[in-house]
Amino acid sequence: MSRLILIVVAVFVVIWLLRRALAGPRSRGGGPRSGGGAPNAGGEAQAPGAPQGDLVSCAHCGVNLPKAEARSAGGRYYCSEEHWRRGPPES
């Protein structure tokens, strides 16, 4: 009986290791994964966990966002159309 249990456990371990190896590399970050489905600058949906590219800072509010999602004007980047229309804040 103990030999049967050992064989069943060994089969489950082998199956688990094979599935894990075939699944490919996974992100090890602790943060939430990107939702995907949001189009990038080219209008294509990006795969979840795909690198977003360089980060830029909004010239109006200072929030950081991927360069592919930012609007640009005059060498400056903006996080939204409203901030793009307003331009940099008045000092």
Side-chain angles (χ1 to χ4, degrees), residues 5-23:
I5 292 173
L6 185 61
I7 291 172
V8 169
V9 169
V11 167
F12 278 118
V13 168
V14 168
I15 290 172
W16 178 71
L17 288 173
L18 284 173
R19 289 184 70 183
R20 194 166 166 211
L22 293 175

Side-chain angles (χ1 to χ4, degrees), residues 58-61 71 78-89:
C58 176
H60 186 79
C61 67
R71 296 192 65 125
Y78 300 93
C79 64
S80 65
E81 187 173 341
E82 181 181 349
H83 285 182
W84 174 71
R85 279 184 282 155
R86 287 182 169 186

Side-chain angles (χ1 to χ4, degrees), residues 43-91:
E44 305 164 0
Q46 220 169 10
Q52 298 270 333
D54 295 334
L55 289 179
V56 294
S57 181
C58 176
H60 186 79
C61 67
V63 71
N64 293 321
L65 68 154
K67 189 175 185 178
E69 295 178 18
R71 296 192 65 125
S72 64
R76 295 187 173 134
Y77 295 96
Y78 300 93
C79 64
S80 65
E81 187 173 341
E82 181 181 349
H83 285 182
W84 174 71
R85 279 184 282 155
R86 287 182 169 186
E90 301 287 329
S91 296

